[in-house]
Amino acid sequence: MRRRGSRILPLLLVALVLTGCVGIPTSGDVTVGQELEEQDSGDFEFFPLAPTEGADQEAILAGFVAAFTGSAEDFKVARQFLSQSFADEWNPRSGVTVRTALQRFSSVDSTTMEYSVTAAATVDSAGAYRQNGEPVPLTLRFEFVEEDGEWRIDSSPDGIVLADATFRSIFDTHVLYFLGPADTALVPDLRWFPSGSAALRVVSALLAGPPDWLRGAASTAFPEGTKLVAPSVEVQSGVAIVDLSTAALEADLEERQLMQLQLTRSLAAVPNVRRVSLSVGGTPLDIAELGASAPRSNPQVDSRAVGLRDGTFGYVSGDETAPIGPLSERIVATDPRGATVSIGSFTAAVLGNEGVSVVQSGDPGTTLLDGRRNLTVPSLDDGHVWSASLSAPGSIRVFDFAGAFRDLQTGLPADAEIASIDVSRDGARIAIFASTPAGPRLQVRAINRDPDANEFPASLSEPVLDVVAASGVAVDASWVDELSIATLVGDEAEGAVVLHQVGGERTSLSRIPSATALVGGNGRAGLRALGESGTILERSGNSWTDTRRAVGFLATQR
């Protein structure tokens, strides 16, 4: 919802296709949309075969599964494998299960067969991808009936199953952008849509508003009830023409600028779209760009490392350490062990000898906020400091700069230990990395804010990402870019860094020498770690290089 002007944007029933879970429950809320009337045409065109005369049950089932690749005319070929009474009931667009290479067909009785696969991932009905920690065994049941001497499927789970390679040839990723706290930042939400008619799918999903897990943390500029006049988005000479209903006219000038910004950024990955033209009922809207006042998207930080070296806090480059104005001296005065620094506002959240403090370059200077024991390195957003204690994993304490605080529940068990907390640069999400009896656990939750209390964080959403590693000890985690978090897991001799994409996949960033901290920069190349010997480790291709530059600690920039 929009916090400004108390507008509330409900979930519109809009069209998204070929997304969802096929028989596999997943955690988190699901945003459901209605089907689009247009048809799919991906980059790769598949031509599945229709049933052959006299085919036995296994051949019919195998042909039906193979026809999942052909969505033309609302899966016309696949429906030919179904009985006349069931053909219109089956909903292939309710979801996708992405399977590994292995699949098996088996007979249960004279009219029942099972299809067994291992599910590597699912895509829900809003286009949100969830990768399973380990492939999950899945068995789907199919009932058969004989019609005019031919076997046909009379009962089937909704949705489709695709092999991983096939899924990747049909689906593309797109990032939707919503508005963050106080409209100062754009909040990304990764979706997976079939390649064909991508512009329509992106616009429809954007008009549906933030997904359930982001509501309360992100909003949209589109007024309540805004929808497309027709289920189409034409692209002419590189211009995506988005024709909205009259509800869009309720938006004021600034909101229209934000609407155009959301559309422009969300359609950026759609082929052949260079800009967006907004209209209402066919009448174009003349909307000037926001310019410098536009909300930030994936903000960048200084490429240099920031840390404490030889008693000076600042930018670490070569043999030099450049102080950050008066902020540096005030940080050093806290006897710091870790920090998160907002360079633009000359503010830092610091773990020092007495606890967690907020340090500002202007008045009042340094304010001790959290004097509890066993604190982790704090995180920071625009106006709040986030602090966690190893002995209290069930909650995170959030302070304003004057010292008022709230405890937000994490959902972690009492025997967990929080290794790190990191608020995203847009201020809408937090990554929590902890050691648990089951293994290192990474959670990503949205930060629900109170619009009536100066956007003070009020609660954390259910996790959109909740991953447990098989072994090792949670050392540290850090945001790498607007969609990805890197985790550092240690064992006896070395560590492992894994990249987790929110709404996407996990990628190993190779083994790393034993390290005690991990700090993000600008993308994968900007990742740094602090080696066990106290020197900075940097990414070099697919490996890590010891720079031989020794520091007391590395600070996170935001």
Side-chain angles (χ1 to χ4, degrees):
M1 67 181 130
R2 291 283 290 159
R3 297 187 181 86
R4 188 163 62 85
S6 68
R7 290 191 176 93
I8 299 175
L9 181 65
L11 173 64
L12 302 179
L13 299 179
V14 297
L16 303 173
V17 299
L18 281 176
T19 52
C21 168
V22 184
I24 302 177
T26 58
S27 62
D29 297 320
V30 173
T31 306
V32 180
Q34 75 182 41
E35 298 167 11
L36 295 179
E37 297 176 2
E38 45 70 50
Q39 305 301 327
D40 307 324
S41 61
D43 294 337
F44 290 80
E45 192 169 1
F46 291 87
F47 298 94
L49 299 176
T52 58
E53 186 176 350
D56 60 18
Q57 291 180 11
E58 182 170 346
I60 291 295
L61 180 53
F64 178 56
V65 170
F68 290 163
T69 60
S71 60
E73 298 183 64
D74 193 22
F75 289 84
K76 178 180 178 180
V77 174
R79 293 185 191 277
Q80 294 177 36
F81 292 86
L82 307 178
S83 66
Q84 294 180 19
S85 61
F86 182 63
D88 291 335
E89 292 184 24
W90 176 61
N91 179 14
R93 305 181 187 280
S94 73
V96 178
T97 292
V98 183
R99 67 171 176 84
T100 60
L102 299 177
Q103 59 178 347
R104 182 169 61 89
F105 303 94
S106 58
S107 178
V108 177
D109 55 40
S110 60
T111 58
T112 308
M113 289 198 70
E114 290 181 339
Y115 175 48
S116 300
V117 298
T118 51
T122 59
V123 182
D124 74 17
S125 58
Y129 179 101
R130 290 181 184 269
Q131 186 175 12
N132 296 323
E134 296 291 337
V136 176
L138 173 67
T139 298
L140 304 176
R141 194 178 182 91
F142 299 81
E143 302 291 339
F144 288 79
V145 67
E146 201 168 1
E147 288 184 344
D148 299 327
E150 301 290 342
W151 286 112
R152 292 294 182 264
I153 296 169
D154 196 45
S155 177
S156 163
D158 285 335
I160 64 174
V161 180
L162 295 174
D164 182 74
T166 305
F167 171 77
R168 293 173 189 282
S169 69
I170 295 175
F171 280 71
D172 291 327
T173 57
H174 296 272
V175 182
L176 306 186
Y177 285 96
F178 298 100
L179 302 173
D183 296 349
T184 60
L186 291 177
V187 181
D189 184 34
L190 186 66
R191 307 290 182 94
W192 297 65
F193 298 131
S195 303
S197 303
L200 174 57
R201 290 178 173 82
V202 168
V203 173
S204 298
L206 191 64
L207 291 178
D212 286 349
W213 74 274
L214 265 180
R215 291 176 183 267
S219 61
T220 183
F222 293 91
E224 179 180 348
T226 302
K227 58 184 179 180
L228 288 167
V229 171
S232 65
V233 175
E234 294 185 30
V235 179
Q236 300 178 0
S237 301
V239 180
I241 301 173
V242 179
D243 192 23
L244 300 176
S245 63
T246 56
L249 295 176
E250 296 179 16
D252 60 27
L253 175 60
E254 181 184 353
E255 287 171 328
R256 293 182 188 186
Q257 291 175 308
L258 291 170
M259 287 161 52
Q260 180 149 309
L261 177 65
Q262 285 185 256
L263 284 165
T264 300
R265 293 306 310 274
S266 299
L267 289 166
V270 176
N272 303 319
V273 173
R274 295 191 298 274
R275 64 184 184 90
V276 175
S277 174
L278 266 178
S279 60
V280 174
T283 302
L285 298 178
D286 185 14
I287 303 174
E289 294 185 1
L290 281 166
S293 64
R296 304 175 298 166
S297 173
N298 195 24
Q300 302 293 286
V301 297
D302 198 286
S303 60
R304 293 170 292 179
V306 173
L308 180 71
R309 182 166 65 172
D310 297 331
T312 300
F313 181 85
Y315 299 109
V316 178
S317 180
D319 296 330
E320 302 294 327
T321 303
I324 309 171
L327 190 66
S328 291
E329 291 185 6
R330 292 177 177 180
I331 290 175
V332 171
T334 67
D335 191 15
R337 301 196 297 273
T340 298
V341 183
S342 178
I343 303 298
S345 62
F346 295 98
T347 304
V350 182
L351 175 61
N353 188 48
E354 296 182 2
V356 166
S357 301
V358 59
V359 180
Q360 301 174 77
S361 58
D363 293 333
T366 301
T367 304
L368 180 65
L369 300 176
D370 193 351
R372 293 178 297 168
R373 299 177 61 84
N374 300 320
L375 297 174
T376 63
V377 176
S379 192
L380 182 70
D381 67 28
D382 294 332
H384 304 92
V385 170
W386 297 69
S387 181
S389 171
L390 292 175
S391 56
S395 65
I396 295 172
R397 186 160 290 181
V398 188
F399 297 83
D400 65 16
F401 291 175
F405 69 87
R406 289 179 179 175
D407 286 327
L408 308 186
Q409 302 305 305
T410 66
L412 291 172
D415 52 359
E417 287 191 351
I418 296 179
S420 69
I421 54 173
D422 293 87
V423 177
S424 59
R425 292 175 191 168
D426 52 53
R429 300 157 295 160
I430 186 170
I432 306 169
F433 194 40
S435 288
T436 72
R441 183 176 180 180
L442 173 67
Q443 290 186 343
V444 175
R445 296 172 179 259
I447 301 169
N448 301 318
R449 295 178 183 267
D450 186 347
D452 297 323
N454 197 30
E455 302 292 340
F456 206 110
S459 65
L460 302 179
S461 75
E462 291 297 312
V464 66
L465 180 66
D466 195 349
V467 180
V468 179
S471 61
V473 176
V475 177
D476 202 358
S478 182
W479 287 91
V480 176
D481 55 40
E482 63 177 357
L483 285 169
S484 303
I485 304 103
T487 56
L488 171 61
V489 173
D491 55 30
E492 293 182 0
E494 56 182 357
V497 178
V498 177
L499 194 70
H500 303 260
Q501 192 176 50
V502 181
E505 301 171 291
R506 291 185 296 279
T507 306
S508 173
L509 296 185
S510 75
R511 305 294 293 180
I512 185 174
S514 291
T516 59
L518 187 68
V519 175
N522 300 319
R524 298 186 191 188
L527 270 175
R528 293 182 175 92
L530 185 62
E532 205 166 50
S533 63
T535 57
I536 299 174
L537 307 177
E538 293 184 346
R539 291 278 294 167
S540 178
N542 292 322
S543 61
W544 294 84
T545 299
D546 190 337
T547 66
R548 307 298 181 185
R549 297 196 301 270
V551 294
F553 67 85
L554 284 173
T556 296
Q557 298 182 70
R558 71 171 310 277

